Amino acid sequence: MANIDTVLIRQLVILVLILFSGINIISKGVQAKEDDRKVTNIGAVIDVTSHTGKEEITAMEIAVQSFNNKLNNHGLSLYVQSHGKDPMLAAAAAEKLIKENNVTVIIGLETWELAAPVAEIGTRARVPVLSFTAPSITLPLSALRWPFLAQMANNDSEQMTCIAAIIRSYGWKKVIAIYEDETYGGDSGKLAVLIEALQDIGSEIEHTLVLPPISSLSNTKEVMQEELMKLLSLESRVFVVLKASSVMTIHLFEEAKNMGFMGRDSAWIITDKITTYLDSFNTSIISSMAGVLGIKTYYTENSSEYESFYGQFKQVFRKKYEDEDNFEPGIYALKAYDAIQIITKAMEGMINTNISSKQLSEKILLSNFTGLSGEIQFERGMLSQNPTLRIVNVVGKKYKELDFWLPSFGFSKSLVNEETEHDGNTAQGLYGQVSWPADLNQVRNPKGWAMPTNARPLIIGVPGRTSFEKFVKVKNESNQNEEPEGYCIDLFKMAREFLGYDLPYKFVPHFSTYDDLVRCVHNKTFDAVVGDITILANRAELVEFTQPYAESGLSMIVPAKSEESAWMFIKPFTWEMWMATGAMLIYTMFIVWFLEHRSNPEFEGTWKTQIGTAMWFTCSSLFFAHRENVQNNFTRVVVIVWLFVSLVLTSSYTASLSSMLTVNKLKVNETDIEFLKRNNLKVGCDGDSFVRNYLVDVLQFKSENIKTINSQDSYIGEFEKKHIAAAFLELPYEKVFINNYCKKFSATTPTYRFGGLGFMFRKDSPIAMDFSKAILTLSENGKLKELEEKWFAPSPECSTGVTDNQTERLRLHSFWGLYIFAGATSTICFFLFIIKIIKDQYRSNTIPRNNSIWSKATRLAKFIYQGQQINFAIDQTRPQLPEIVGRGSSRWKYSSPDAAENHEAASSEAADVEMLYIPGG
């Protein structure tokens, strides 16, 4: 408080001296020669003690001298007053220039806090004011409030958008904003613009560090350390310095470096005003800012006008300020030069006439030309075009220029137009290589987060008690130094190896519910939680989850019983399969009978005898038990194909029936949740998880009907004692349970899905994203599957493969090709046999050619069926053939020994006598 009083007293003394003693803080600048020419007085209110102020004075003197050398009838006189970085002093200096020096225009004012009161004085005195700055937020009525104000700048919207784009491109979610408070309070509106820009990209300001005014501090080093100590407990390590004086900037970065805030995972971004200090800082100061990204307004250095100005500036500045190290003109020097140009161009054509302040102000606002600082054209009192920005990076003892930022476009490698470059970059990061703080040729970008170290490892909570210990198991509750074990622990260690950086950690068991673990991460008791944590919407609002490593859903476990049936033997085939097999058997039986009954004695006899023989032969061939011989070659082909079909069918049937009888078919007793609720049956669940609340709130179970079960083995006892009728488990637990008790229990397909199981980190932690990538990598390369097989291998009785009672019945679509092949073979053999018979009969003239077709068909059918000689036209006067006493045999049988001789004689004499020929093939 004493410091503030001292400052106010000092400022009041200076103000009194300015108003009443008439003392100039700096003498007059360049003046026109005392001759007959008309002189226009220009006032400048700047900080004459700063490097920027010295640049501005030099640039304005060069512009005034250039104008005075061109014209003999008109001259400019420059009067300079210092504002001392204080709005009250700036206002007093402006009044002094107007009253004592009768200035026509006032220029200067690098901050809006200084420009606003001077604009008020200019409006009241009707004196145009040219400021080098503009408010961070465009004021809607500024043109009406300050009609004599022309702002040679834009608002901070474009600059904050550029900063937000940098933050977005590197995935930083939390930012710490830093600014130096003005003497009379305020942040110039920069913070509000930055907050809005960050909201557009999904980031936020975690903390705002407000530094007291440097003029109010007696021990700057101590105060700076106290302020920076507040940031140690914060997680973000992305710092955006919005506003600070040059002296405050020096102290800020020196102490930040000493306190470790310039580490490899830190990122610092400074605005354009602070970036201008880099040109005036010596190498030792710049080295403390190594790795900082800065924003500066771009201006071209290739024009002839700039080259001419540059030569003059360097010569004058070096001669006038020998103690300064840097002789390069900055953006404010260019604006100061352009301000004189605006005034002189506004007075063109009116040099020989009297011009009012109103007219001069209007002419200034109508300016339209390209100056050293860029395009000069006003709209509503400020520059109409957003500036092109340049991102710079402090490297070592100097800084290098990286990318351009083009308005409404984004990052660009070069200064090009929107229409000529196809890919504006706002999300992929800077094109130029950035050297970050404490850069030791690091490959990765800074996390922008307080990363764990050996001194401060990542504190990881693990569930102290779990129902299924294969996921996480705390081996010794009394000894917390002994690491837990389980699937989740091994997965964490495997994923850690894929991070690309070292991650010190410490496991801390926590014996409470899973929801309590979520709260511990949210309130920063733990940095993370490794375990079987279910990803839920309400939890995701408080913490950051990784990519799920296991799917999750709610399954119902119920006791199962064996499904027994007297008709089990017919289940290997579907009814379509049985129908097709029976049809194939009957068709094959018919073909075999047709081919064999004329020539094979074993197929002779009455109708019943022939059908029985054919049926027996076909059915017994299924088991390769047939004894009948086949004599027709066509029959042999049909039988071979049928035997192949029989082999396939019997083998498939045997395998399917064996599977059905071997695997214990389980049938769920109650699968309907409504049945459980309707009959008030008790169900069990894990008491530490969210499932109990889910059963009550969502599935509408009565709380008294829900029994809490704390271990995997306890479920068996509860079922055996009939204490519960069903158990509700999450899908990963259900798989583990069924893998061990597949013979006794069955599970329903999960109907209610959740987000899966994942690890838990603090909100917006970049480590969570790195673990997500690592888990995806493990999933893709098969390591995750191997880990599951290691921890969740089924018990020996459940390792046979089929445990879900879903042995498939054999269907027709799997065998239709086989049936078509067998049927086609039989059909082809049938027609080939018919064709052969007809051919032989025509060859032997057994069938007269002059008979009708119907008569031929009838006789042929009788011949095929009866297998005997059919005489169509027999000459009774010719010798007769001996009687055939047998048919259906491959040999001829005669009634007397002389039959062969008589038959041979008769055949030579009577060609028209029909003789029966029974083919052997």
Side-chain angles (χ1 to χ4, degrees):
M1 189 69 180
N3 289 336
I4 297 176
D5 292 339
T6 303
V7 172
L8 291 177
I9 293 172
R10 180 176 62 84
Q11 291 173 345
L12 288 174
V13 171
I14 296 174
L15 181 59
V16 170
L17 290 174
I18 292 175
L19 293 177
F20 298 104
S21 67
I23 297 176
N24 288 333
I25 295 178
I26 188 170
S27 61
K28 295 178 182 179
V30 177
Q31 297 182 27
K33 294 181 180 180
E34 295 181 359
D35 50 23
D36 295 334
R37 69 169 64 184
K38 183 178 179 180
V39 178
T40 300
N41 294 334
I42 299 175
V45 181
I46 59 178
D47 181 12
V48 297
T49 61
S50 67
H51 179 84
T52 301
K54 295 173 183 178
E55 287 185 359
E56 294 169 349
I57 292 174
T58 303
M60 288 187 289
E61 289 177 348
I62 293 173
V64 170
Q65 191 67 49
S66 175
F67 180 82
N68 290 340
N69 292 338
K70 290 180 181 179
L71 298 177
N72 296 324
N73 60 343
H74 199 98
L76 296 178
S77 289
L78 178 64
Y79 295 86
V80 180
Q81 290 287 333
S82 179
H83 53 61
K85 301 178 182 178
D86 187 285
M88 290 182 61
L89 297 180
E95 283 198 62
K96 180 178 178 62
L97 289 171
I98 295 172
K99 292 179 180 180
E100 296 186 5
N101 302 114
N102 196 27
V103 296
T104 306
V105 182
I106 296 176
I107 60 177
L109 310 166
E110 300 85 1
T111 66
W112 180 247
E113 290 75 14
L114 300 171
V118 174
E120 288 285 354
I121 292 175
T123 300
R124 291 200 302 265
R126 301 181 68 83
V127 174
V129 177
L130 272 171
S131 70
F132 298 158
T133 186
S136 298
I137 302 173
T138 302
L139 304 177
L141 300 178
S142 59
L144 296 176
R145 182 176 180 181
W146 302 297
F148 288 88
L149 175 64
Q151 305 162 68
M152 297 179 62
N154 306 87
N155 60 32
D156 286 327
S157 175
E158 195 66 34
Q159 182 178 192
M160 297 307 166
T161 301
C162 175
I163 293 175
I166 295 175
I167 293 171
R168 175 191 179 190
S169 64
Y170 293 105
W172 301 324
K173 296 297 184 181
K174 291 184 178 181
V175 173
I176 296 175
I178 303 174
Y179 68 88
E180 179 185 357
D181 196 9
E182 296 292 339
T183 305
Y184 303 101
D187 63 347
S188 305
K190 295 180 183 295
L191 182 62
V193 180
L194 178 61
I195 291 174
E196 183 178 358
L198 292 177
Q199 287 177 345
D200 292 340
I201 64 169
S203 298
E204 63 179 355
I205 293 180
E206 181 183 15
H207 180 74
T208 301
L209 180 63
V210 183
L211 302 175
I214 190 68
S215 59
S216 66
L217 302 179
S218 58
N219 190 340
T220 306
K221 181 181 179 67
E222 182 180 345
V223 173
M224 188 62 66
Q225 290 177 348
E226 291 177 359
E227 294 295 331
L228 291 177
M229 283 291 292
K230 301 175 183 177
L231 306 181
L232 290 176
S233 61
L234 302 178
E235 298 166 330
S236 176
R237 287 297 179 266
V238 180
F239 306 96
V240 178
V241 185
L242 297 174
K243 185 179 63 172
S245 62
S246 59
V247 178
M248 180 64 78
T249 301
I250 294 172
H251 287 287
L252 171 63
F253 282 99
E254 284 181 348
E255 294 304 322
K257 184 176 182 180
N258 294 334
M259 296 179 66
F261 289 104
M262 303 291 288
R264 61 178 299 176
D265 284 299
S266 300
W268 288 77
I269 304 174
I270 57 178
T271 54
D272 57 348
K273 175 62 177 176
I274 304 174
T275 305
T276 60
Y277 301 154
L278 297 177
D279 294 325
S280 61
F281 286 164
N282 58 42
T283 55
S284 62
I285 297 174
I286 292 181
S287 63
S288 67
M289 301 175 65
V292 172
L293 286 178
I295 311 296
K296 63 181 294 187
T297 303
Y298 171 78
Y299 52 87
T300 180
E301 300 178 357
N302 299 324
S303 66
S304 58
E305 186 178 2
Y306 177 83
E307 292 175 356
S308 175
F309 167 77
Y310 178 79
Q312 297 179 64
F313 179 89
K314 194 170 184 180
Q315 181 180 3
V316 173
F317 192 85
R318 178 177 296 175
K319 182 179 180 180
K320 192 172 183 178
Y321 306 103
E322 295 179 356
D323 58 331
E324 294 288 343
D325 297 329
N326 182 50
F327 309 111
E328 304 288 333
I331 184 62
Y332 285 100
L334 303 184
K335 288 185 176 183
Y337 184 87
D338 286 342
I340 302 298
Q341 292 287 88
I342 292 173
I343 296 171
T344 57
K345 289 180 180 295
M347 293 190 304
E348 287 181 0
M350 293 184 288
I351 292 177
N352 297 323
T353 61
N354 292 325
I355 178 173
S356 66
S357 298
K358 180 67 173 176
Q359 290 175 319
L360 179 59
S361 178
E362 291 175 351
K363 291 286 289 185
I364 288 174
L365 293 175
L366 292 175
S367 299
N368 187 3
F369 68 96
T370 301
L372 296 182
S373 61
E375 294 293 328
I376 305 296
Q377 186 177 6
F378 296 99
E379 181 179 349
R380 290 187 300 232
M382 65 174 55
L383 292 181
S384 59
Q385 292 187 355
N386 284 321
T388 296
L389 304 177
R390 194 73 189 264
I391 293 89
V392 300
N393 184 206
V394 179
V395 181
K397 298 180 180 180
K398 57 183 180 179
Y399 67 87
K400 64 179 180 180
E401 295 180 336
L402 299 177
D403 294 10
F404 292 93
W405 174 266
L406 305 181
S408 304
F409 183 58
F411 298 118
S412 175
K413 296 179 182 179
S414 58
L415 192 63
V416 294
N417 200 312
E418 258 183 79
E419 287 78 16
T420 60
E421 187 166 305
H422 299 290
D423 299 321
N425 178 20
T426 59
Q428 300 303 318
L430 299 172
Y431 290 109
Q433 180 64 41
V434 180
S435 296
W436 299 104
D439 189 357
L440 301 176
N441 297 321
Q442 64 189 57
V443 177
R444 65 180 178 87
N445 295 319
K447 295 296 180 183
W449 196 263
M451 298 297 288
T453 62
N454 291 326
R456 186 190 177 281
L458 191 74
I459 304 301
I460 302 176
V462 294
R465 58 172 184 260
T466 56
S467 298
F468 291 81
E469 295 181 342
K470 287 188 175 182
F471 287 91
V472 179
K473 180 181 180 181
V474 177
K475 293 182 290 185
N476 191 344
E477 297 183 9
S478 60
N479 184 11
Q480 294 192 2
N481 292 325
E482 186 175 2
E483 281 197 352
E485 62 180 17
Y487 169 78
C488 297
I489 304 301
D490 285 357
L491 176 58
F492 170 80
K493 293 178 179 179
M494 290 177 61
R496 179 173 170 266
E497 297 176 359
F498 286 85
L499 296 181
Y501 55 87
D502 186 36
L503 186 71
Y505 66 91
K506 179 183 179 181
F507 288 124
V508 178
H510 185 73
F511 299 91
S512 185
T513 64
Y514 287 84
D515 287 336
D516 192 48
L517 280 170
V518 175
R519 287 188 289 270
C520 286
V521 175
H522 180 63
N523 62 26
K524 301 182 181 180
T525 302
F526 295 139
D527 297 316
V529 169
V530 170
D532 47 344
I533 313 296
T534 305
I535 302 173
L536 300 175
N538 61 336
R539 293 176 176 177
E541 294 178 356
L542 304 176
V543 297
E544 196 78 26
F545 282 100
T546 64
Q547 171 78 16
Y549 58 81
E551 63 176 331
S552 178
L554 193 61
S555 296
M556 185 172 67
I557 306 294
V558 292
K561 63 181 182 181
S562 298
E563 183 181 352
E564 300 175 355
S565 173
W567 300 97
M568 179 68 74
F569 68 92
I570 68 173
K571 289 192 175 182
F573 286 171
T574 61
W575 69 269
E576 295 93 343
M577 188 71 178
W578 283 116
M579 294 291 291
T581 302
M584 192 70 241
L585 185 145
I586 294 173
Y587 184 65
T588 302
M589 178 192 72
F590 167 75
I591 296 299
V592 170
W593 169 82
F594 181 80
L595 296 177
E596 290 292 322
H597 80 282
R598 298 179 57 259
S599 59
N600 193 335
E602 296 181 7
F603 286 84
E604 292 179 351
T606 63
W607 268 104
K608 293 181 179 181
T609 302
Q610 293 183 38
I611 292 174
T613 302
M615 178 66 74
W616 167 255
F617 174 83
T618 307
C619 292
S620 61
S621 63
L622 288 170
F623 313 100
F624 304 94
H626 55 285
R627 296 181 179 180
E628 293 78 9
N629 295 321
V630 292
Q631 299 178 0
N632 193 306
N633 288 335
F634 291 118
T635 307
R636 293 189 179 101
V637 172
V638 172
V639 171
I640 289 173
V641 174
W642 171 248
L643 290 177
F644 174 73
V645 173
S646 301
L647 176 64
V648 173
L649 292 179
T650 53
S651 300
S652 302
Y653 177 87
T654 303
S656 180
L657 183 60
S658 299
S659 176
M660 290 181 175
L661 294 176
T662 302
V663 177
N664 186 20
K665 291 284 288 183
L666 301 178
K667 184 177 181 181
V668 179
N669 290 324
E670 290 96 7
T671 59
D672 188 7
I673 293 177
E674 294 300 324
F675 175 83
L676 297 173
K677 294 192 294 184
R678 187 169 54 251
N679 292 277
N680 284 324
L681 298 178
K682 291 188 177 297
V683 297
C685 69
D686 184 1
D688 291 332
S689 72
F690 72 99
V691 174
R692 182 181 181 88
N693 292 335
Y694 190 86
L695 292 176
V696 175
D697 299 336
V698 179
L699 299 185
Q700 303 298 316
F701 276 91
K702 296 179 180 179
S703 180
E704 59 270 19
N705 289 336
I706 301 175
K707 186 176 180 61
T708 299
I709 302 175
N710 296 321
S711 68
Q712 174 181 337
D713 296 333
S714 297
Y715 284 96
I716 305 299
E718 296 295 331
F719 275 117
E720 290 177 349
K721 295 175 183 177
K722 306 296 183 180
H723 290 171
I724 58 174
F728 286 91
L729 299 177
E730 292 183 70
L731 183 59
Y733 308 142
E734 175 256 301
K735 290 181 178 179
V736 173
F737 188 84
I738 295 299
N739 275 348
N740 292 317
Y741 307 106
C742 61
K743 304 297 183 181
K744 299 179 180 179
F745 300 93
S746 181
T748 60
T749 302
T751 304
Y752 303 93
R753 296 284 181 177
F754 308 117
L757 301 186
F759 298 151
M760 194 163 48
F761 292 84
R762 292 185 186 177
K763 196 67 175 175
D764 298 323
S765 170
I767 305 177
M769 182 180 297
D770 294 339
F771 265 94
S772 294
K773 295 178 181 177
I775 291 172
L776 286 175
T777 302
L778 292 173
S779 178
E780 292 169 0
N781 62 20
K783 297 293 184 181
L784 190 62
K785 183 67 175 178
E786 294 176 5
L787 191 62
E788 291 176 357
E789 293 174 352
K790 171 187 173 182
W791 282 99
F792 305 135
S795 61
E797 64 178 357
C798 298
S799 60
T800 54
V802 181
T803 60
D804 57 356
N805 316 323
Q806 296 298 323
T807 303
E808 283 288 334
R809 302 177 68 183
L810 300 178
R811 301 181 181 279
L812 181 60
H813 67 79
S814 300
F815 296 91
W816 66 269
L818 184 66
Y819 286 130
I820 290 178
F821 173 71
T825 302
S826 299
T827 303
I828 291 172
C829 290
F830 172 78
F831 283 110
L832 289 177
F833 181 72
I834 294 295
I835 292 171
K836 188 175 188 308
I837 290 177
I838 295 174
K839 182 178 179 181
D840 290 341
Q841 295 306 312
Y842 270 104
R843 185 182 298 165
S844 60
N845 294 323
T846 303
I847 301 177
R849 289 178 171 79
N850 55 356
N851 285 6
S852 65
I853 295 177
W854 173 253
S855 177
K856 293 178 181 180
T858 303
R859 293 177 183 274
L860 180 62
K862 291 180 179 181
F863 171 73
I864 292 173
Y865 169 70
Q866 295 176 358
Q868 63 184 13
Q869 180 177 356
I870 305 297
N871 294 325
F872 295 98
I874 301 178
D875 188 351
Q876 299 296 331
T877 62
R878 295 185 178 183
Q880 302 297 311
L881 292 176
E883 181 182 358
I884 300 174
V885 297
R887 72 174 180 83
S889 174
S890 59
R891 300 180 302 274
W892 291 97
K893 295 182 181 179
Y894 301 97
S895 59
S896 66
D898 298 331
E901 295 180 3
N902 295 335
H903 171 264
E904 185 175 321
S907 62
S908 60
E909 296 178 358
D912 57 342
V913 177
E914 301 294 335
M915 185 177 75
L916 176 61
Y917 171 72
I918 302 176

